[in-house]
Amino acid sequence: MLNIGCHLSTSKGFIHMGKEALSIDANTFQFFTRNPRGSKAKGIDENDVKGLLKIMEDNNFVPLLGHAPYTLNPCSADQRTKEFALEVLIDDLVRMEHLPNNYYNFHPGSHVGQGTEKGIELIADALNFILTKKQTTIVLLETMSGKGSEVGSTFQEMRQIIEKVKLDEKVGVCLDTCHVYDGGYDIVNDLDGVLAEFDRIIGLDRLRAIHLNDSKNPFASHKDRHAKIGEGNIGLKAITDMINHPKLRLLPFYLETPNELPGYAQEIKLLRKAYIDDISFSVKPQKIHLS
Ligand code: FE
Ligand code: FE
Ligand code: ZN
């Protein structure tokens, strides 16, 4: 079965998100752990959490993806900005443990003129500061498109970050299809080549999740604007090839396309139809984390 969901609003709580996911035939979803721009996080309602866990168990859900606020910058040059990022990351990881064995995704950050090497160092420092042995959450670094001074737009940079992390068993990668395409990895004409490169540099066992988006911008544009599935420069054929790819097909896919719920329902329907439901088609199972 294709494991797919989309980004959902947390405003009405966890059970509500679970029900929304079910209503659009999703078996996972992504959510912001707090206001994507601001910092205030709502308290955790244990009954709400329990209700969602029950929905997930009854409906073969695969891991959820919590997404950190995208304004965090753990590799900022400003001390207060860096500290703030650490405070939020630590608090989010504590909160994620209320829903054990899921994923937490964050944008590595922007080095803002300090240089990529310094940026990589600061991001690794942040991870070494926040990760704990006993956490069940796997923290995912999201591949970026390389706009501005973003760190994490090449597989080499990802590898360099991960290499510096002590508890690296708690770290994985989330590949955003729009970002890598904009970042100059040709998943349209050479998906096999891109995955081989990912494997050689980072290791495919690090790849835990896919953000499935089309792109409004051309190849290697280093921009970052998501398009609906089949309506951008990546196109439906390449996206269909990706969900069916032997090395990707068992991973969870999360849509972050510019849609409301009915649009997501349509995309999920389309992609489920395009998925080849034949287990013999898969190569060795990826180390996906089933809760
Ligand atoms: Fe993101
Ligand atoms: Fe993304
Ligand atoms: Zn994006």
Side-chain angles (χ1 to χ4, degrees):
M1 190 176 75
L2 174 63
N3 295 311
I4 190 164
C6 65
H7 188 91
L8 293 175
S9 162
T10 36
S11 60
K12 289 180 182 152
F14 288 120
I15 292 176
H16 186 81
M17 284 189 282
K19 286 182 177 165
E20 270 189 333
L22 286 179
S23 79
I24 58 171
D25 200 19
N27 65 330
T28 184
F29 58 87
Q30 173 176 270
F31 61 100
F32 280 126
T33 48
R34 61 187 68 220
N35 182 307
R37 267 173 282 271
S39 63
K40 265 269 167 284
K42 278 194 282 184
I44 299 268
D45 172 348
E46 281 304 332
N47 284 325
D48 194 29
V49 166
K50 268 189 210 140
L52 172 61
L53 290 175
K54 174 94 176 85
I55 290 175
M56 290 176 68
E57 204 183 299
D58 292 347
N59 296 280
N60 291 314
F61 271 50
V62 290
L64 307 178
L65 187 53
H67 194 308
Y70 47 73
T71 48
L72 290 193
N73 191 8
C75 60
S76 167
D78 174 63
Q79 191 58 25
R80 183 61 208 128
T81 306
K82 264 190 303 201
E83 281 169 10
F84 175 72
L86 291 178
E87 284 162 21
V88 170
L89 290 168
I90 287 173
D91 188 46
D92 273 0
L93 285 180
V94 170
R95 296 156 55 81
M96 286 298 294
E97 288 303 311
H98 289 265
L99 286 157
N101 300 308
N102 289 296
Y103 294 134
Y104 178 68
N105 174 80
F106 81 103
H107 296 182
S110 297
H111 66 69
V112 287
Q114 302 176 95
T116 306
E117 209 172 307
K118 181 76 183 162
I120 287 168
E121 206 176 290
L122 289 171
I123 294 157
D125 286 351
L127 284 164
N128 282 326
F129 192 74
I130 64 167
L131 296 175
T132 59
K133 260 203 187 98
K134 52 182 205 316
Q135 71 180 57
T136 63
T137 304
I138 304 294
V139 175
L140 305 185
L141 294 154
E142 180 170 352
T143 59
M144 303 311 292
S145 65
K147 63 176 169 351
S149 64
E150 272 174 355
V151 182
S153 67
T154 68
F155 297 162
Q156 283 84 357
E157 288 170 19
M158 283 299 191
R159 175 205 178 127
Q160 286 168 37
I161 297 168
I162 296 167
E163 270 177 351
K164 292 180 168 57
V165 177
K166 290 189 194 87
L167 291 172
D168 71 318
E169 70 273 19
K170 305 292 184 191
V171 176
V173 173
C174 171
L175 185 143
D176 186 307
T177 56
C178 168
H179 298 176
V180 292
Y181 183 73
D182 287 15
Y185 290 97
D186 195 354
I187 51 175
V188 174
N189 299 301
D190 188 20
L191 178 59
D192 281 326
V194 171
L195 293 178
E197 193 174 341
F198 189 108
D199 199 24
R200 185 170 54 80
I201 297 169
I202 305 174
L204 270 175
D205 59 330
R206 291 273 178 206
L207 182 58
R208 299 303 190 96
I210 308 273
H211 278 166
L212 198 61
N213 303 305
D214 212 323
S215 173
K216 287 203 168 125
N217 287 296
F219 176 64
S221 58
H222 299 287
K223 300 242 173 68
D224 173 8
R225 281 189 69 208
H226 303 185
K228 293 181 186 178
I229 299 300
E231 293 185 14
N233 289 301
I234 298 176
L236 184 58
K237 162 84 171 64
I239 287 170
T240 303
D241 287 349
M242 240 174 299
I243 58 170
N244 281 306
H245 194 283
K247 290 180 173 161
L248 303 178
R249 52 187 282 110
L250 297 178
L251 291 170
F253 294 88
Y254 307 86
L255 296 161
E256 302 176 307
T257 46
N259 275 306
E260 301 295 327
L261 211 52
Y264 280 131
Q266 254 178 14
E267 289 186 342
I268 290 172
K269 194 173 172 195
L270 175 76
L271 293 166
R272 285 209 184 282
K273 234 177 122 183
Y275 189 68
I276 302 164
D277 242 325
D278 178 358
I279 196 71
S280 66
F281 203 64
S282 315
V283 290
K284 64 145 188 129
Q286 303 282 312
K287 288 186 202 158
I288 55 170
H289 213 89
L290 298 169
S291 54

